[in-house]
Amino acid sequence: MTQTSPPMEAAPPAQERHPWIPAWLDDVPGVGRLAVTLLNDSRVRYLLAGGITAVISYAYFSVLFLLVGHHVHYLVTLTIANFLTTVTAYPIYQHGVYQAGQGGFAQFLRFYATCLWALVFGLVTMPLLVELVSVPVLLAQAIVIVVFPLINYPLQRRWAFGGGRR
């Protein structure tokens, strides 16, 4: 009686990966494939980009508020921080989340419009927290920043970067 070995299974096809996912992740046992799978999902990349953007936005706002808060109203500081964050975050979302290529100035304006929606939310919510509930300005900004990505995701995915890969 001859014993035959089971047929060898073919290796799974190489998964297409987002260009920012490092190749060395494939060499990490167990976690590597999961990480590649998760990072290939634009929603996961959006959450990561949202976290990075929240930190950047809070840093801009905090530095400006601490430097000029005694001379400038915190809503002016919020507006300036929003613009700086938008300019900084645009390439992160354009290339890192949506792989939208070079969309030109029109794409940036659509992205900025989505960020203006978040700014309007902040301009309404911050005074409610600060003036009515007596939350300190920096804490109120932290609370508002957490909501920004939730407001912007559908707008960015469908409109600002609507032509990009998902």
Side-chain angles (χ1 to χ4, degrees):
M1 207 164 33
T2 337
Q3 193 173 30
T4 58
S5 58
M8 290 183 56
E9 292 182 25
Q15 187 175 16
E16 184 180 332
R17 77 174 62 238
H18 184 277
W20 287 9
I21 300 173
W24 59 263
L25 270 177
D26 289 331
D27 298 332
V28 179
V31 178
R33 184 176 294 212
L34 175 62
V36 170
T37 300
L38 288 173
L39 291 173
N40 270 331
D41 187 333
S42 66
R43 294 167 297 190
V44 172
R45 291 191 314 271
Y46 182 84
L47 287 173
L48 291 172
I52 292 166
T53 303
V55 169
I56 291 168
S57 180
Y58 192 76
Y60 282 143
F61 180 84
S62 298
V63 167
L64 287 169
F65 182 74
L66 294 172
L67 288 176
V68 297
H70 52 288
H71 297 297
V72 177
H73 195 273
Y74 64 88
L75 294 180
V76 173
T77 305
L78 177 66
T79 304
I80 295 167
N82 176 271
F83 175 76
L84 295 172
T85 301
T86 301
V87 171
T88 305
Y90 175 67
I92 296 170
Y93 286 93
Q94 179 188 27
H95 300 295
V97 176
Y98 299 108
Q99 295 177 268
Q102 302 301 321
F105 192 63
Q107 186 180 68
F108 172 77
L109 288 178
R110 287 191 305 272
F111 177 77
Y112 191 65
T114 65
C115 294
L116 286 176
W117 174 247
L119 174 62
V120 168
F121 176 80
L123 291 173
V124 169
T125 308
M126 287 282 290
L128 292 175
L129 292 171
V130 173
E131 310 296 331
L132 293 179
V133 186
S134 299
V135 174
V137 172
L138 292 176
L139 178 58
Q141 175 62 359
I143 293 168
V144 169
I145 280 178
V146 170
V147 181
F148 282 1
L150 301 175
I151 293 171
N152 281 348
Y153 178 71
L155 292 171
Q156 289 177 0
R157 187 173 72 82
R158 291 197 172 97
W159 186 59
F161 298 108
R165 282 185 0 193
R166 291 185 183 55

